[in-house]
Amino acid sequence: MNSTLDYKPAGFFRRMVALFYDLILIIALCVGFTLLITYALNTEVESPLMYLAFLALSIGFYCYFWKKNSGQTLGMQVWKVRLAQENKSDISLIRMIYRCFLGLIFTLLFGMNYLPMLFRKDKKTLNDLLSKTFLMKV
């Protein structure tokens, strides 16, 4: 790790508030999707497939906005945070999906995803380290 960074890392509070904004939008998408499926099938839908559909919607939300808005979701735009890759190239779709899965898994494991932020100057989380990406202030 370099002693000086060529970017300002996004801190914990900025990440959490941007995530909260994005979660509001994702919940709205999931509710709309549920209403659409319920209306189309004319019945209530309670299936494990719905949870997979919600996961796909969430990952699709992040990947779409990261790709179309230069590494920023709507919440990240408001809080001036941008996703970038360590080698400064465009982030591939596979890397975006990998980052989403890692973030979900490590966050569900008692919030372990954010533990490295306490000890690192570059404020990288576990999913940042493993996916070779980082979040920076814009």
Side-chain angles (χ1 to χ4, degrees):
M1 182 169 76
N2 296 340
S3 60
T4 59
L5 298 172
D6 58 347
Y7 66 93
K8 286 187 171 189
F12 181 76
F13 176 76
R14 192 174 292 261
R15 286 175 183 249
M16 290 298 104
V17 178
L19 177 65
F20 179 72
Y21 276 44
D22 290 337
L23 285 177
I24 292 170
L25 296 169
I26 290 169
I27 289 168
L29 281 173
C30 290
V31 168
F33 178 74
T34 303
L35 290 173
L36 182 68
I37 294 299
T38 302
Y39 179 74
L41 298 178
N42 200 20
T43 184
E44 291 185 29
V45 179
E46 291 184 28
S47 165
L49 292 177
M50 286 298 284
Y51 295 113
L52 287 175
F54 295 156
L55 180 63
L57 272 173
S58 301
I59 291 172
F61 172 87
Y62 279 103
C63 292
Y64 173 80
F65 281 105
W66 284 337
K67 199 64 155 172
K68 296 295 182 187
N69 289 339
S70 302
Q72 291 183 300
T73 61
L74 297 174
M76 293 167 81
Q77 287 176 354
V78 171
W79 285 93
K80 307 216 183 309
V81 177
R82 186 170 85 77
L83 176 69
Q85 190 167 312
E86 285 180 356
N87 63 6
K88 308 292 190 223
S89 66
D90 289 337
I91 303 170
S92 70
L93 181 63
I94 298 298
R95 188 171 301 264
M96 290 178 194
I97 294 169
Y98 182 59
R99 185 179 196 284
C100 286
F101 274 116
L102 289 174
L104 176 67
I105 290 166
F106 288 129
T107 300
L108 290 176
L109 292 173
F110 307 106
M112 284 178 38
N113 193 36
Y114 300 100
L115 189 62
M117 287 183 74
L118 300 173
F119 307 106
R120 297 181 59 94
K121 183 178 180 181
D122 59 6
K123 303 287 188 210
K124 286 188 175 184
T125 59
L126 281 174
N127 66 332
D128 289 332
L129 293 168
L130 295 173
S131 67
K132 296 186 171 121
T133 59
F134 59 92
L135 290 179
M136 65 179 170
K137 290 182 192 176
V138 181

